Amino acid sequence: MLDNYFKLKESGTDVRTELLAGLTTFLTMAYIIFVNPSILGDAGMPKEAVFVATCIVAALGTAVMGLYANYPIGMAPGMGLNAYFAYAVVLGMGVAWPAALGAVFISGCLFILVSVFGLRGMIVNGIPHSLRVAITVGLGMFLALIALKNAGIVVGSEPTLVKAGDLHAPPAVMAIVGFILIVTLDRLKVRGAILIGIIVVTVLSFFFGGNTFKGIFSMPPSIDPTLFKLDIPGALSVGILNVVLVFFLVELFDATGTLMGVASRAGLLVEGKMERLNKALLADSGAIVAGSVLGTSSTTAYIESAAGVQAGGRTGLTALAVAALFLACLFIAPLAGVVPAYATAPALLFVACLMLRDLGDIEWGDTTESIPAAITALVIPFTYSIAEGIAFGFITYAALKLTTGRAREVKPVVWIIAALFIFKIVYIGT
């Protein structure tokens, strides 16, 4: 039955290989069940309910990806998107978290529409590669700043804006140890390097950070504090450009790039294309909508799925195994609750560093491409706003192409987005 449904023999795999690949993928992305509640908890959301929502939406989205699209790709709330949700939208803009969930819901619905009507390709292909790379890099720098702040390595300063914190303090020392450990284990190709790093720092926190052990297993906490708490009218009152457009653009690039990257690694591309890309995108966008209803930020495909592909995963059975393991995690809420922010900071910093590697893909010899990309990447962390970075990037790109006589190179979607951001700045403000 499994062979017929998932086409195992046709894909050159078997049940044992798929299940082991699922375990491998899960170990590489399980850190999100600790990191996501920590980040969204900073925004005032109930951590225990977010923990449950994270496990459920990861299991649901991954199961749909496996059963509907038949791809070996795990899904969970996205890194970078959760930071934008918590630190830029809720804490930075002062938007209540239910309204922020409403914005996630709207962006998910838009994502469904562009997938159903085939507009995804037009939008993605219309936006220059340099700006797509810059958004990823800017997200990485934003994550790095948050990680260093959570570890106490970077602190605020009136005369210089930021400065080094107390590097003798236990949280900073343990975070540094955790970061070195994660990078070392990853280099040695140890599966679950990020998860191991988080666990080691958490254990150290009991001895050096005054943390208290509360057990490992329990029945799942209640999800009621976040379930159906999204506020769609509140999201619309905040403004589509401020929040929804950013969620939508980042989700679009992140999902498409990850899906294509993992499929390429698995040898699942036919003439450079994914045969079931639309199904995969619908699974992705459906998970975003479900996550907003359950009580978490945008869900997306995880590049860590490449680890499972490396282990031989080729079909949706791998994803189904990942989904089952996420459901099992519902019963370790006490363990998730004792993970301090400085234990997840090394994981955030490691992911941030990986996001910077795309800088080499920018055409630095062409300043009409490289300067807008650099502006985008720099403005995101320096304004603590992904939205402002994207706005400045698109406006700069369109302006430089226009002033250098290369306006014909700019696709219509770039002019539209740049015009929308100019309108927002002139008539609405930043």
Side-chain angles (χ1 to χ4, degrees):
M1 183 181 70
L2 291 174
D3 181 49
N4 290 335
Y5 189 86
F6 293 107
K7 298 180 173 59
L8 300 179
K9 287 182 181 177
E10 184 181 318
S11 303
T13 184
D14 54 44
V15 172
R16 180 179 178 277
T17 301
E18 292 290 297
L19 295 181
L20 285 175
L23 176 62
T24 302
T25 294
F26 172 77
L27 288 175
T28 60
M29 61 183 288
Y31 65 88
I32 194 64
I33 65 175
F34 302 112
V35 177
N36 201 49
S38 175
I39 291 176
L40 298 190
D42 288 347
M45 296 187 69
K47 287 187 178 181
E48 290 189 339
V50 172
F51 167 78
V52 176
T54 301
C55 292
I56 292 177
V57 78
L60 180 64
T62 306
V64 172
M65 180 66 74
L67 293 170
Y68 179 59
N70 196 24
Y71 280 125
I73 295 172
M75 298 181 63
M79 295 292 290
L81 286 164
N82 51 9
Y84 174 65
F85 180 102
Y87 301 110
V89 178
V90 178
L91 297 178
M93 299 180 189
V95 177
W97 63 260
L101 287 178
V104 172
F105 177 86
I106 296 168
S107 69
C109 292
L110 289 174
F111 202 2
I112 290 174
L113 288 175
V114 299
S115 298
V116 168
F117 291 105
L119 299 175
R120 176 204 57 81
M122 184 185 73
I123 296 173
V124 171
N125 294 331
I127 293 174
H129 175 71
S130 58
L131 288 183
R132 277 183 271 169
V133 169
I135 292 170
T136 300
V137 172
L139 269 169
M141 295 172 69
F142 185 57
L143 270 183
L145 182 59
I146 292 165
L148 294 170
K149 173 180 171 288
N150 287 351
I153 296 172
V154 169
V155 296
S157 168
E158 278 293 329
T160 60
L161 294 182
V162 292
K163 65 178 183 179
D166 182 4
L167 300 183
H168 297 96
V173 174
M174 285 187 280
I176 293 169
V177 169
F179 179 72
I180 297 297
L181 176 62
I182 288 173
V183 177
T184 302
L185 293 176
D186 179 74
R187 179 60 185 172
L188 296 175
K189 301 190 183 303
V190 175
R191 293 171 184 171
I194 293 177
L195 183 61
I196 292 170
I198 293 173
I199 292 172
V200 168
V201 176
T202 301
V203 171
L204 290 175
S205 72
F206 296 126
F207 298 97
F208 305 107
N211 204 352
T212 54
F213 185 65
K214 299 176 183 177
I216 299 177
F217 300 106
S218 73
M219 292 301 292
S222 173
I223 196 176
D224 285 345
T226 58
L227 185 64
F228 294 115
K229 295 300 188 290
L230 68 165
D231 179 8
I232 297 174
L236 293 173
S237 68
V238 171
I240 293 291
L241 286 178
N242 274 16
V243 182
V244 176
L245 183 61
V246 174
F247 275 130
F248 172 76
L249 287 176
V250 177
E251 288 160 0
L252 189 67
F253 300 145
D254 193 44
T256 306
T258 299
L259 290 169
M260 294 295 287
V262 175
S264 176
R265 187 80 61 86
L268 298 173
L269 297 183
V270 179
E271 296 181 356
K273 297 180 179 180
M274 288 178 71
E275 287 186 319
R276 304 180 298 280
L277 176 60
N278 228 40
K279 286 187 174 182
L281 286 170
L282 283 172
D284 197 303
S285 51
I288 293 170
V289 172
S292 67
V293 172
L294 291 168
T296 184
S297 53
S298 302
T299 302
T300 189
Y302 262 57
I303 194 64
E304 284 85 350
S305 303
V309 165
Q310 192 71 28
R314 293 294 181 271
T315 74
L317 185 56
T318 293
L320 208 57
V322 175
L325 290 167
F326 269 115
L327 281 181
C329 285
L330 285 169
F331 299 94
I332 60 167
L335 186 61
V338 299
V339 178
Y342 57 81
T344 57
L348 290 177
L349 186 58
F350 177 66
V351 172
C353 291
L354 295 181
M355 293 172 79
L356 300 184
R357 61 188 170 190
D358 291 339
L359 273 170
D361 292 340
I362 295 173
E363 190 179 345
W364 291 101
D366 183 352
T367 52
T368 65
E369 295 287 336
S370 60
I371 296 301
I375 290 293
T376 303
L378 290 171
V379 171
I380 287 174
F382 289 154
T383 61
Y384 219 67
S385 170
I386 298 170
E388 299 302 335
I390 292 175
F392 277 88
F394 272 91
I395 292 170
T396 305
Y397 186 90
L400 288 177
K401 291 294 186 182
L402 184 64
T403 57
T404 56
R406 297 170 61 181
R408 291 183 179 179
E409 296 178 12
V410 182
K411 299 290 179 64
V413 67
V414 175
W415 293 116
I416 293 170
I417 294 174
L420 288 172
F421 277 126
I422 291 171
F423 175 82
K424 169 188 172 294
I425 291 170
V426 173
Y427 291 101
I428 302 174
T430 58

